Amino acid sequence: MARHGSARRHRIKNLLRSPSIKLRRRSGTARHKEDLSDKVTLEKVLGITAPGNRALACDARTGLLAYPAGVSLCFRKAITTLAFSPDGKYIVTGESGHMPAVRVWEVLERQQVAELQEHKYGIACVSFSPNGKYIVSVGYQHDMMVNVWNWKKNIVVAANKVSSKVTAVSFSDDSSYFVTAGNRHVKFWYLDHAKTSKVNATVPLLGRSGLLGELRNNFFSDVACGRGRQASSTFCITSSGLLCEFNDRRLLDKWVELRTSQATCLSVTDELIFCGCSDGTVRAFSPVNLHFLCTLPRPHCLGADIASMVDASQLFSCRSEARYPDTVAVTYDPTNRWLSCVYNDHSVYVWDVRDLRDPRRAGKLYSALYHSSCVWSLEVRGEVRLPSGSFLSCSSDNTIRLWSIDGVNVINRNILSHDLQKVIYVDENITSLLDTESTGESGSEGQQTDQSRVGIRTLRVSPDGQHLASGDRMGVLRIHDLDSMEEIMNVQAHDSEILCLEFSKPDTGLQLLATASRDRLIHVLDAGRDYSLVQTLDEHSSSITAVRFAANEGKVRMISCGADKSVYFRTAQQLDNGLQFTRTHHVVRKTTLYDMDVEPTRKYAAVGCQDRSIRIFNISNGKQKKLYKGSQGEDGTLIKVQIDPSGLYIATSCSDKNISIFDFYSGECVATMFGHSGQNTSSLLSPYCCIEDSLLCLMCLEYKRHTPDHRVWRQVSLTFTSTQKVVLHVNMVTSEFDLQENVLMHPSNKRSINEMCVCVLSCIFVWRLSPELTIRMRQRLADLRPSRSTQNSQNAPQQKVLNLR
């Protein structure tokens, strides 16, 4: 069983690699951009956000599993739905955003073979016809279009309008009709193959409503046409918990109760029907007579201690008071007889269901757990305590999670995830662990739910690796012991969310922690004296976006920047009443300053600005030393910057969706995360970068759909660690900027929703840097270490001036 599970994971990994889009007649600029994109390769995706079966697909021939993962690396559009072709050679995807398209991808070559554009606002669901000739796409409710494509000719052969919200579509076994389901909606659409084959123009699509009878006011969550002996039947489930069967006359013939508070998804074969329900329940029925067969095992309970689950028996030891995540998507692999399930805490399980006569024999082949909401920050420092290849992340789901990228030298192997090692729950309310939009019927409520969440906003590990500091959106500062992962301090430090945390480096001779917030205050705490308050600074007149410490010319400096367009340079002095930071220089620019980092020699600070420029300041005198563009585009705003430990490169992220790495000294772009520029320039993409050697992770955080009165921006976090990889983290928060829509196609993690809904991309993307960049960084680090040790001894502050004791 383990061997089969490993083989399956290998097949999934091969599919989820970054697609290589081959374009004809590339211009010189396009070739240059492609060369820059070749400097990084997407290696791993940690996350899933499939809201239903329309965003989860299985190739019936090979058992290959596919699901979206954020936004397209090539087109930066949200992948809302996907489906395999009958022969498994192609995947069709639907997207949202400006000028959404239906795209067909070749699975083995991982390249696009067709692009079909007719929808205006977004595509809710897509499906191949069983004969492979047609693709049907259904738009969002405001799009109101149902299109049937002859995808090889790139034409719409039949079309019609639909007034209801549609959440699912399914083709009949003989390709003669398909069925759509949604809010008080089950409709049968018939194809006239004679007309569609001979006429080049689009013909009207004939539709007939299902005869719902007394169930006409129900919300139909999912639909699937029968197979084999039941090919003339159509099966639907209602959100209220009914499994329904329509006969060949579109008449609701019979139904059974699922005995659940909510039903969300179903998967139908010629032998089995699987229904996904609330509280982690999946029930199996016979398609012949709708007789109940069994209930499958449930996943882990919410709030479970992941690290302690090392034995399979612990998964099936149910507690009466335990609560489980709801099932939101199911798909069946008839070749291996495996059932893949996605739950609304963003976990995925693959169950072996070869023998349903005894459900206790259903075994778990694979499972993975991910953040269920917006990921705000990650931290990879503190290698003294954390194993190689490990990093920490925090999220709006009120958890801090420890990950192992390489899967080796892990602290504790558990049975639930190969990547996730530990979860710290900062709130006893397990509701925050659920993505309520996955099972919700309307999206407007979801937005309010997400905004009301507290969530951990930022992380920082102390230089000695002993403590983990975190700040949440309510201004609470927490300190955890990294050995035991236990909370040792919890204090209300600010009146609003904490935007930045920073520990002083060992070369300063001090043990300080600075906390900066949206309330315009900076608190300096003594980490060596139980984080007692040293000083509060209130010089900024707006939100403080970054604060950094630096040992420079024998003095300890603190630099901060904010939305008030100011950079403050301060120097530490030992006064009669204790240590105080006094202002030495104040620099004001004409643009908002979004982020800042200090290069390894502690001579210069780099600031990312709203005008897409990187401004380099001399820390000693506060003068601007250099200025160069931090984005290749001419639109958007530069939100985040980070310098790698060698000081050779600086990573940036711009609101035009370009994430780039520049030569710190020349300003030349040496690599970019996205090889092609996108159409949408209204969404802000910002990297909160932490470059640690040469690993960069990209974490897709939160994605909010565009509405006329709703504006958002997106944030990204970049992090370099060891092993030639990069970690990047993407996020969206409310701002004054307009958004047309932003997204990502990667058969691995993202989800589709209604236009007024909030979509959370709680994913982590791991990229591998090219060897030439890694070698240069390591050579510079080797050259820098001796000089830095000498320089630090010379620049180390004198104890009689700066020693807190």
Side-chain angles (χ1 to χ4, degrees), residues 120-333:
K120 294 181 179 179
Y121 300 106
I123 300 156
C125 41
V126 294
S127 179
F128 271 100
S129 62
N131 60 16
K133 185 177 181 180
Y134 301 111
I135 288 174
V136 60
S137 61
V138 184
Y140 282 153
Q141 184 175 358
H142 298 289
D143 187 278
M144 297 189 300
M145 290 302 300
V146 179
N147 292 326
V148 179
W149 303 83
N150 185 325
W151 64 275
K152 292 184 178 179
K153 295 182 179 180
N154 197 2
I155 58 173
V156 178
V157 296
N160 210 327
K161 289 190 175 182
V162 59
S163 58
S164 301
K165 175 183 176 181
V166 175
T167 57
V169 62
S170 178
F171 253 103
S172 66
D173 217 4
D174 60 359
S175 302
S176 62
Y177 67 92
F178 60 91
V179 186
T180 57
N183 186 25
R184 297 188 294 180
H185 170 90
V186 175
K187 199 161 189 175
F188 294 72
W189 306 88
Y190 297 93
L191 294 175
D192 189 336
H193 291 277
K195 289 185 178 180
T196 56
S197 300
K198 297 179 181 179
V199 181
N200 290 329
T202 302
V203 300
L205 183 61
L206 178 62
R208 294 287 184 266
S209 297
L211 305 178
L212 304 178
E214 60 185 87
L215 300 184
R216 60 184 175 275
N217 291 324
N218 275 263
F219 185 96
F220 292 87
S221 306
D222 205 356
V223 63
C225 292
R227 297 291 182 258
R229 291 180 297 169
Q230 299 301 119
S232 61
S233 297
T234 300
F235 301 94
C236 290
I237 56 171
T238 68
S239 61
S240 59
L242 298 177
L243 171 61
C244 309
E245 179 182 352
F246 292 83
N247 60 24
D248 54 359
R249 300 190 305 269
R250 309 189 320 276
L251 178 65
L252 183 55
D253 194 20
K254 52 181 175 285
W255 66 84
V256 296
E257 292 187 1
L258 297 175
R259 296 184 179 180
T260 181
S261 60
Q262 188 175 22
T264 56
C265 52
L266 85 164
S267 179
V268 176
T269 69
D270 54 353
E271 298 179 353
L272 297 166
I273 298 177
F274 293 99
C275 300
C277 307
S278 60
D279 206 31
T281 301
V282 178
R283 304 197 194 280
F285 295 84
S286 168
V288 177
N289 48 23
L290 297 190
H291 281 183
F292 172 73
L293 299 178
C294 69
T295 299
L296 270 64
R298 290 189 289 191
H300 63 285
C301 60
L302 295 173
D305 184 1
I306 306 299
S308 66
M309 300 192 69
V310 295
D311 188 82
S313 61
Q314 294 175 272
L315 186 62
F316 303 102
S317 57
C318 303
R319 304 193 310 267
S320 58
E321 72 280 4
R323 183 179 174 186
Y324 297 86
D326 298 336
T327 312
V328 296
V330 293
T331 185
Y332 182 65
D333 172 11

Side-chain angles (χ1 to χ4, degrees), residues 24 58 71 76 168 171 193 209 273 301 325 346 386 417 473 479 492-493 498 562 596 612 629 790 792:
R24 299 177 182 176
C58 179
V71 293
R76 267 100 71 204
F171 253 103
H193 291 277
S209 297
I273 298 177
C301 60
H346 289 208
L386 299 180
S417 175
R473 297 175 70 179
I479 305 295
Q492 182 75 44
I498 298 175
M596 174 181 56
R612 300 180 304 283
K629 287 295 182 182
T790 304
N792 290 341

